[in-house]
Amino acid sequence: MPEYQFTLKFSIKSHATEIDAIVVRLGREGCTDALVGIGQEGFINLDFTREAPSAIEAIESALADVKRAIPEAQLVTETETP
């Protein structure tokens, strides 16, 4: 199955003290194929390398995994980034 590399950025309402718990939840929900970036407060970046039959399926499954792990997370587009 092919691998697809992509980055998803989310705004989160969690405090910095909760980041460790968020990373654990992401792993439990299937995001073990993502590098987690937490450099900007209030945001989390996930750099995925995901196997899937298509790029769309890779992205859709990653979005579903993140939403299960962090229900309050909102996908951010580049125009929304401060």
Coordinates of all heavy atoms in Angstrom, one line a residue:
M1 N 0.9 -1.2 0.0 CA 0.0 0.0 0.0 C 0.9 1.2 0.0 O 1.9 1.3 0.7 CB -0.9 0.0 1.2 CG -2.1 0.9 1.1 SD -3.3 0.7 2.5 CE -3.5 -1.0 2.7
P2 N 0.6 2.3 -0.8 CA 1.4 3.5 -0.8 C 1.3 4.3 0.5 O 0.4 4.2 1.2 CB 0.8 4.3 -2.0 CG -0.5 3.7 -2.3 CD -0.5 2.3 -1.7
E3 N 2.4 5.0 0.7 CA 2.5 5.9 1.8 C 2.2 7.4 1.4 O 2.8 7.7 0.3 CB 3.8 5.9 2.5 CG 4.0 4.7 3.4 CD 5.3 4.8 4.1 OE1 6.2 5.6 3.8 OE2 5.5 4.0 5.1
Y4 N 1.5 8.1 2.1 CA 1.3 9.6 1.8 C 1.8 10.4 3.0 O 1.6 10.1 4.1 CB -0.2 9.8 1.6 CG -0.7 9.0 0.4 CD1 -1.3 7.7 0.6 CD2 -0.6 9.5 -0.9 CE1 -1.7 7.0 -0.5 CE2 -1.0 8.8 -2.0 CZ -1.6 7.5 -1.8 OH -2.0 6.8 -2.9
Q5 N 2.5 11.5 2.6 CA 3.0 12.4 3.6 C 2.2 13.7 3.5 O 2.1 14.3 2.4 CB 4.5 12.7 3.4 CG 5.3 11.4 3.6 CD 6.8 11.6 3.5 OE1 7.2 12.6 2.8 NE2 7.6 10.8 4.0
F6 N 1.7 14.2 4.7 CA 0.9 15.4 4.7 C 1.0 16.0 6.1 O 1.2 15.3 7.1 CB -0.5 15.2 4.2 CG -1.2 14.1 5.0 CD1 -2.0 14.4 6.0 CD2 -1.1 12.8 4.6 CE1 -2.7 13.4 6.7 CE2 -1.7 11.7 5.2 CZ -2.5 12.0 6.3
T7 N 0.7 17.3 6.2 CA 0.6 17.9 7.5 C -0.8 18.5 7.7 O -1.3 19.1 6.9 CB 1.7 19.1 7.6 OG1 3.0 18.5 7.4 CG2 1.6 19.8 8.9
L8 N -1.3 18.3 8.9 CA -2.6 18.9 9.4 C -2.3 19.7 10.6 O -1.6 19.3 11.5 CB -3.6 17.8 9.7 CG -3.9 16.8 8.6 CD1 -4.8 15.7 9.2 CD2 -4.6 17.5 7.4
K9 N -2.9 20.9 10.5 CA -2.7 21.9 11.7 C -4.1 22.1 12.3 O -5.1 22.3 11.6 CB -2.1 23.2 11.2 CG -1.9 24.2 12.3 CD -1.2 25.4 11.8 CE -0.8 26.3 13.0 NZ 0.1 27.4 12.5
F10 N -4.1 22.0 13.6 CA -5.4 22.2 14.3 C -5.3 23.3 15.4 O -4.2 23.4 16.0 CB -5.8 20.9 15.0 CG -6.0 19.8 14.1 CD1 -5.0 18.9 13.7 CD2 -7.3 19.5 13.7 CE1 -5.3 17.9 12.8 CE2 -7.6 18.5 12.8 CZ -6.6 17.6 12.4
S11 N -6.3 24.0 15.6 CA -6.4 24.9 16.8 C -7.0 24.0 17.9 O -7.9 23.2 17.7 CB -7.2 26.1 16.5 OG -8.5 25.8 16.3
I12 N -6.4 24.2 19.1 CA -6.9 23.4 20.2 C -7.1 24.4 21.4 O -6.4 25.4 21.5 CB -6.0 22.3 20.6 CG1 -4.6 22.8 20.9 CG2 -5.9 21.2 19.6 CD1 -3.6 21.8 21.5
K13 N -8.0 24.1 22.3 CA -8.3 24.9 23.4 C -7.6 24.4 24.7 O -7.7 25.0 25.7 CB -9.8 25.0 23.7 CG -10.6 25.6 22.5 CD -12.0 25.7 22.8 CE -12.7 26.4 21.6 NZ -13.9 26.0 21.1
S14 N -6.9 23.3 24.5 CA -6.2 22.8 25.7 C -5.0 23.6 26.1 O -4.4 24.3 25.3 CB -5.7 21.4 25.3 OG -6.7 20.5 24.9
H15 N -4.7 23.6 27.4 CA -3.6 24.3 27.9 C -2.3 23.5 27.7 O -2.3 22.3 27.6 CB -3.8 24.6 29.4 CG -5.1 25.4 29.7 ND1 -5.2 26.7 29.4 CD2 -6.3 25.0 30.2 CE1 -6.4 27.1 29.7 NE2 -7.1 26.1 30.2
A16 N -1.2 24.2 27.8 CA 0.1 23.6 27.6 C 0.3 22.4 28.5 O 1.0 21.4 28.2 CB 1.2 24.6 27.7
T17 N -0.2 22.5 29.7 CA 0.0 21.4 30.7 C -0.7 20.1 30.3 O -0.4 19.1 30.8 CB -0.6 21.8 32.1 OG1 -1.9 22.2 32.0 CG2 0.3 23.0 32.6
E18 N -1.7 20.2 29.3 CA -2.4 19.0 28.9 C -1.8 18.4 27.6 O -2.3 17.4 27.2 CB -3.8 19.4 28.6 CG -4.6 20.0 29.8 CD -5.9 20.5 29.4 OE1 -6.2 20.7 28.2 OE2 -6.7 20.9 30.3
I19 N -0.7 18.9 27.1 CA -0.1 18.5 25.9 C 0.3 17.0 26.0 O 0.0 16.2 25.0 CB 1.0 19.4 25.4 CG1 0.5 20.7 25.0 CG2 1.8 18.7 24.2 CD1 -0.5 20.7 23.9
D20 N 0.9 16.6 27.1 CA 1.3 15.2 27.2 C 0.2 14.3 27.1 O 0.2 13.2 26.4 CB 2.1 15.0 28.5 CG 3.5 15.6 28.5 OD1 4.0 15.9 27.4 OD2 4.0 15.9 29.6
A21 N -0.9 14.6 27.7 CA -2.1 13.8 27.7 C -2.7 13.7 26.3 O -3.2 12.7 25.8 CB -3.2 14.3 28.7
I22 N -2.7 14.8 25.6 CA -3.1 14.9 24.2 C -2.3 14.0 23.3 O -2.8 13.2 22.5 CB -3.1 16.3 23.6 CG1 -4.3 17.1 24.3 CG2 -3.3 16.4 22.1 CD1 -4.2 18.6 24.0
V23 N -1.0 14.0 23.5 CA -0.1 13.1 22.7 C -0.4 11.7 22.9 O -0.5 10.9 22.0 CB 1.4 13.5 22.9 CG1 2.3 12.5 22.3 CG2 1.7 14.9 22.4
V24 N -0.7 11.3 24.2 CA -1.0 9.9 24.5 C -2.3 9.6 23.9 O -2.5 8.5 23.3 CB -1.1 9.8 26.1 CG1 -1.7 8.4 26.4 CG2 0.3 9.9 26.7
R25 N -3.3 10.4 23.9 CA -4.6 10.2 23.3 C -4.5 10.0 21.8 O -5.1 9.1 21.2 CB -5.6 11.3 23.6 CG -6.1 11.2 25.1 CD -7.3 12.0 25.3 NE -7.5 13.3 24.6 CZ -7.4 14.5 25.1 NH1 -7.1 14.7 26.4 NH2 -7.6 15.6 24.4
L26 N -3.7 10.8 21.2 CA -3.4 10.7 19.7 C -2.9 9.3 19.4 O -3.3 8.7 18.4 CB -2.5 11.8 19.2 CG -3.1 13.2 19.1 CD1 -2.0 14.3 19.0 CD2 -4.0 13.3 18.0
G27 N -1.9 8.9 20.2 CA -1.3 7.6 19.9 C -2.4 6.5 20.1 O -2.4 5.5 19.3
R28 N -3.2 6.6 21.1 CA -4.2 5.6 21.3 C -5.2 5.5 20.2 O -5.8 4.5 19.9 CB -5.0 5.9 22.6 CG -4.3 5.3 23.8 CD -5.3 5.3 25.0 NE -4.5 5.8 26.1 CZ -4.9 6.8 27.0 NH1 -6.1 7.3 26.8 NH2 -4.2 7.2 28.0
E29 N -5.5 6.6 19.5 CA -6.5 6.7 18.5 C -5.9 6.5 17.1 O -6.6 6.7 16.1 CB -7.2 8.0 18.5 CG -8.1 8.2 19.8 CD -9.1 7.2 20.0 OE1 -9.6 6.6 19.0 OE2 -9.6 6.9 21.1
G30 N -4.7 6.1 17.0 CA -4.1 5.7 15.7 C -3.2 6.6 15.0 O -2.8 6.4 13.9
C31 N -2.8 7.7 15.7 CA -1.9 8.7 15.2 C -0.4 8.4 15.5 O 0.4 9.3 15.6 CB -2.2 10.1 15.6 SG -3.9 10.6 15.1
T32 N -0.1 7.1 15.6 CA 1.3 6.7 15.8 C 2.2 7.0 14.6 O 3.4 6.9 14.7 CB 1.4 5.3 16.3 OG1 0.8 4.4 15.3 CG2 0.7 5.1 17.6
D33 N 1.6 7.3 13.5 CA 2.4 7.6 12.2 C 2.5 9.1 12.0 O 2.8 9.5 10.9 CB 1.7 6.9 11.0 CG 0.2 7.4 10.9 OD1 -0.3 8.0 11.8 OD2 -0.4 7.1 9.8
A34 N 2.4 9.9 13.1 CA 2.5 11.3 13.0 C 3.5 11.8 13.9 O 3.7 11.4 15.1 CB 1.1 12.0 13.3
L35 N 4.3 12.8 13.4 CA 5.2 13.6 14.3 C 4.4 14.8 14.8 O 3.8 15.5 14.0 CB 6.4 14.1 13.5 CG 7.4 14.9 14.2 CD1 8.1 14.1 15.3 CD2 8.4 15.4 13.2
V36 N 4.3 15.0 16.1 CA 3.5 16.0 16.7 C 4.4 17.2 17.0 O 5.4 17.2 17.6 CB 2.9 15.5 18.1 CG1 2.0 16.6 18.7 CG2 2.1 14.2 17.8
G37 N 3.9 18.4 16.5 CA 4.5 19.7 16.7 C 3.6 20.6 17.6 O 2.5 20.7 17.3
I38 N 4.2 21.1 18.7 CA 3.4 21.9 19.7 C 4.1 23.2 19.9 O 3.9 23.8 21.0 CB 3.3 21.1 21.0 CG1 4.6 20.7 21.5 CG2 2.4 19.9 20.8 CD1 4.6 20.1 22.9
G39 N 4.8 23.7 19.0 CA 5.6 25.0 19.2 C 4.7 26.2 19.4 O 5.1 27.1 20.1
Q40 N 3.6 26.3 18.8 CA 2.8 27.5 18.9 C 1.6 27.3 19.8 O 0.8 26.4 19.5 CB 2.3 27.9 17.5 CG 1.6 29.3 17.4 CD 1.2 29.6 16.0 OE1 1.4 28.9 15.1 NE2 0.7 30.8 15.8
E41 N 1.5 28.0 20.9 CA 0.4 27.8 21.8 C -0.9 27.9 21.2 O -1.2 28.8 20.4 CB 0.5 28.9 23.0 CG -0.4 28.6 24.1 CD -0.2 29.4 25.3 OE1 0.9 30.0 25.5 OE2 -1.1 29.5 26.1
G42 N -1.8 27.0 21.5 CA -3.1 27.0 21.0 C -3.3 26.2 19.7 O -4.4 26.1 19.1
F43 N -2.1 25.7 19.2 CA -2.1 25.0 17.9 C -1.4 23.7 18.1 O -0.5 23.6 18.9 CB -1.5 25.8 16.8 CG -2.3 27.0 16.4 CD1 -2.1 28.2 17.1 CD2 -3.4 26.9 15.5 CE1 -2.9 29.3 16.8 CE2 -4.1 28.0 15.2 CZ -3.9 29.2 15.8
I44 N -1.7 22.7 17.2 CA -0.9 21.5 17.2 C -0.8 21.1 15.7 O -1.7 21.1 14.9 CB -1.6 20.3 18.0 CG1 -0.7 19.1 18.1 CG2 -2.9 20.0 17.5 CD1 -1.1 18.2 19.2
N45 N 0.4 20.8 15.3 CA 0.7 20.3 13.9 C 1.0 18.8 14.0 O 1.7 18.3 14.9 CB 2.0 21.0 13.3 CG 1.7 22.4 12.9 OD1 0.6 22.8 12.8 ND2 2.8 23.1 12.6
L46 N 0.5 18.1 13.0 CA 0.7 16.7 12.9 C 1.2 16.4 11.5 O 0.5 16.6 10.5 CB -0.6 15.9 13.1 CG -1.2 16.1 14.5 CD1 -2.6 15.6 14.6 CD2 -0.4 15.4 15.6
D47 N 2.5 15.9 11.4 CA 3.1 15.5 10.2 C 3.0 14.0 10.0 O 3.6 13.2 10.7 CB 4.6 15.9 10.2 CG 4.8 17.4 10.2 OD1 4.0 18.1 9.6 OD2 5.7 17.9 10.8
F48 N 2.1 13.6 9.1 CA 1.7 12.2 8.9 C 2.5 11.6 7.8 O 2.8 12.2 6.8 CB 0.3 12.1 8.6 CG -0.7 12.2 9.7 CD1 -1.2 13.5 10.0 CD2 -1.0 11.1 10.5 CE1 -2.1 13.6 11.1 CE2 -1.9 11.3 11.5 CZ -2.5 12.5 11.8
T49 N 2.9 10.3 8.0 CA 3.3 9.4 6.9 C 2.3 8.2 7.0 O 2.6 7.4 7.9 CB 4.7 9.0 7.1 OG1 5.6 10.2 7.1 CG2 5.2 8.1 5.9
R50 N 1.3 8.2 6.3 CA 0.2 7.2 6.4 C 0.0 6.4 5.2 O 0.0 6.8 4.1 CB -1.1 8.0 6.7 CG -2.2 7.0 7.0 CD -3.3 7.7 7.8 NE -2.9 7.9 9.2 CZ -3.8 7.9 10.2 NH1 -5.1 7.7 10.0 NH2 -3.3 8.0 11.4
E51 N -0.1 5.1 5.5 CA -0.4 4.1 4.4 C -1.9 4.1 4.2 O -2.7 4.0 5.1 CB 0.1 2.7 4.8 CG 1.6 2.5 4.8 CD 2.0 1.1 5.0 OE1 1.1 0.2 5.0 OE2 3.2 0.9 5.2
A52 N -2.3 4.1 2.9 CA -3.7 4.0 2.6 C -3.8 3.8 1.1 O -2.9 4.0 0.3 CB -4.4 5.4 2.9
P53 N -5.0 3.3 0.6 CA -5.2 3.1 -0.8 C -5.1 4.4 -1.7 O -4.7 4.3 -2.8 CB -6.6 2.5 -0.9 CG -6.8 1.9 0.5 CD -6.1 2.8 1.4
S54 N -5.4 5.5 -1.1 CA -5.4 6.8 -1.8 C -5.0 7.9 -0.8 O -5.2 7.8 0.4 CB -6.7 7.1 -2.5 OG -7.7 7.4 -1.5
A55 N -4.7 9.0 -1.4 CA -4.3 10.2 -0.6 C -5.6 10.7 0.2 O -5.5 11.0 1.4 CB -3.8 11.3 -1.4
I56 N -6.7 10.7 -0.4 CA -8.0 11.1 0.2 C -8.2 10.2 1.4 O -8.6 10.7 2.5 CB -9.1 11.1 -0.8 CG1 -8.9 12.1 -1.9 CG2 -10.5 11.3 -0.1 CD1 -9.0 13.6 -1.4
E57 N -8.1 8.9 1.2 CA -8.4 8.0 2.4 C -7.4 8.2 3.5 O -7.7 8.1 4.7 CB -8.4 6.6 1.9 CG -9.6 6.2 1.0 CD -9.5 4.9 0.4 OE1 -10.0 3.9 1.1 OE2 -9.0 4.7 -0.7
A58 N -6.1 8.5 3.2 CA -5.1 8.7 4.2 C -5.5 10.0 5.0 O -5.5 9.9 6.2 CB -3.8 8.9 3.5
I59 N -5.9 11.0 4.3 CA -6.2 12.3 5.0 C -7.5 12.1 5.8 O -7.6 12.5 7.0 CB -6.3 13.4 4.0 CG1 -5.0 13.7 3.4 CG2 -6.9 14.7 4.7 CD1 -5.0 14.7 2.3
E60 N -8.5 11.5 5.2 CA -9.8 11.3 5.9 C -9.6 10.4 7.2 O -10.2 10.7 8.2 CB -10.8 10.7 5.0 CG -11.4 11.6 4.0 CD -12.3 11.0 3.0 OE1 -12.4 9.7 2.9 OE2 -13.0 11.8 2.3
S61 N -8.8 9.4 7.1 CA -8.6 8.5 8.3 C -7.8 9.3 9.4 O -8.1 9.1 10.5 CB -7.9 7.2 7.9 OG -6.6 7.4 7.5
A62 N -6.9 10.1 8.9 CA -6.1 10.9 9.9 C -7.0 11.9 10.6 O -6.9 12.1 11.8 CB -4.9 11.6 9.2
L63 N -7.9 12.6 9.8 CA -8.8 13.5 10.4 C -9.7 12.8 11.5 O -10.0 13.4 12.5 CB -9.6 14.2 9.4 CG -8.9 15.2 8.5 CD1 -9.8 15.6 7.3 CD2 -8.6 16.5 9.3
A64 N -10.2 11.7 11.1 CA -11.1 10.9 12.0 C -10.4 10.5 13.3 O -10.9 10.6 14.4 CB -11.7 9.7 11.3
D65 N -9.1 10.1 13.2 CA -8.3 9.7 14.3 C -8.1 10.9 15.3 O -8.3 10.8 16.5 CB -7.0 9.1 13.9 CG -7.1 7.8 13.2 OD1 -8.1 7.2 13.2 OD2 -6.0 7.4 12.6
V66 N -7.8 12.0 14.7 CA -7.5 13.2 15.5 C -8.8 13.7 16.2 O -8.8 14.0 17.4 CB -7.0 14.4 14.6 CG1 -6.9 15.7 15.4 CG2 -5.6 14.0 14.1
K67 N -9.9 13.7 15.5 CA -11.2 14.1 16.1 C -11.6 13.2 17.2 O -12.2 13.6 18.2 CB -12.3 14.2 15.0 CG -12.2 15.3 14.1 CD -12.1 16.6 14.8 CE -13.3 17.4 14.8 NZ -13.3 18.7 15.4
R68 N -11.3 11.9 17.1 CA -11.6 11.0 18.3 C -10.7 11.3 19.5 O -11.1 11.3 20.6 CB -11.4 9.5 17.9 CG -12.5 8.9 17.1 CD -12.4 7.4 17.0 NE -11.1 6.9 16.6 CZ -10.7 6.8 15.4 NH1 -11.5 7.1 14.4 NH2 -9.5 6.3 15.1
A69 N -9.4 11.6 19.2 CA -8.5 11.9 20.3 C -8.7 13.3 20.9 O -8.5 13.5 22.1 CB -7.0 11.8 19.7
I70 N -9.0 14.3 20.0 CA -9.1 15.7 20.5 C -10.4 16.2 19.9 O -10.4 16.9 18.8 CB -8.0 16.6 20.0 CG1 -6.6 15.9 20.2 CG2 -8.0 17.9 20.7 CD1 -5.5 16.6 19.5
P71 N -11.6 15.9 20.5 CA -12.9 16.3 19.8 C -13.0 17.8 19.6 O -13.7 18.2 18.6 CB -13.9 15.8 20.9 CG -13.2 14.8 21.6 CD -11.8 15.1 21.7
E72 N -12.4 18.6 20.4 CA -12.5 20.1 20.2 C -11.6 20.7 19.2 O -11.6 21.9 18.8 CB -12.2 20.8 21.6 CG -10.8 20.9 22.0 CD -10.2 19.7 22.8 OE1 -10.9 18.6 22.8 OE2 -9.1 19.7 23.3
A73 N -10.7 19.9 18.6 CA -9.7 20.3 17.6 C -10.4 20.8 16.4 O -11.4 20.2 15.9 CB -8.7 19.2 17.3
Q74 N -10.0 22.0 15.8 CA -10.5 22.5 14.6 C -9.4 22.6 13.6 O -8.4 23.2 13.8 CB -11.1 23.9 14.9 CG -12.2 24.0 15.8 CD -13.5 23.2 15.3 OE1 -13.8 23.4 14.1 NE2 -14.1 22.4 16.1
L75 N -9.6 22.0 12.4 CA -8.6 22.1 11.3 C -8.4 23.5 10.9 O -9.4 24.3 10.7 CB -9.1 21.2 10.1 CG -8.1 21.0 9.0 CD1 -6.9 20.3 9.4 CD2 -8.8 20.3 7.9
V76 N -7.2 23.9 10.7 CA -6.8 25.3 10.4 C -6.3 25.3 9.0 O -5.5 24.4 8.6 CB -5.8 25.8 11.4 CG1 -5.3 27.2 11.0 CG2 -6.3 25.8 12.8
T77 N -6.7 26.3 8.2 CA -6.1 26.5 6.9 C -5.0 27.5 7.0 O -5.0 28.3 8.0 CB -7.2 26.9 5.8 OG1 -7.7 28.2 6.2 CG2 -8.3 25.9 5.7
E78 N -4.2 27.6 6.0 CA -3.1 28.6 6.1 C -3.5 30.0 6.3 O -2.9 30.8 6.9 CB -2.1 28.4 4.9 CG -1.3 27.2 5.0 CD -0.4 27.1 6.2 OE1 0.3 28.1 6.5 OE2 -0.4 26.1 6.9
T79 N -4.7 30.3 5.7 CA -5.1 31.7 5.8 C -5.6 32.0 7.2 O -5.7 33.2 7.5 CB -6.3 32.0 4.8 OG1 -7.3 31.0 5.0 CG2 -5.8 31.8 3.3
E80 N -5.9 31.0 8.0 CA -6.4 31.2 9.4 C -5.2 31.3 10.4 O -5.4 31.7 11.5 CB -7.3 30.1 9.8 CG -8.6 30.0 9.0 CD -9.4 28.8 9.3 OE1 -8.8 27.7 9.4 OE2 -10.6 28.9 9.5
T81 N -4.0 31.0 10.0 CA -2.9 30.9 10.9 C -2.4 32.4 11.2 O -2.3 33.1 10.3 CB -1.7 30.1 10.2 OG1 -2.2 28.8 9.9 CG2 -0.6 30.0 11.2
P82 N -2.3 32.6 12.5 CA -1.8 34.0 12.8 C -0.4 34.3 12.4 O 0.4 33.5 12.2 CB -1.9 34.0 14.4 CG -2.0 32.6 14.8 CD -2.5 31.8 13.6

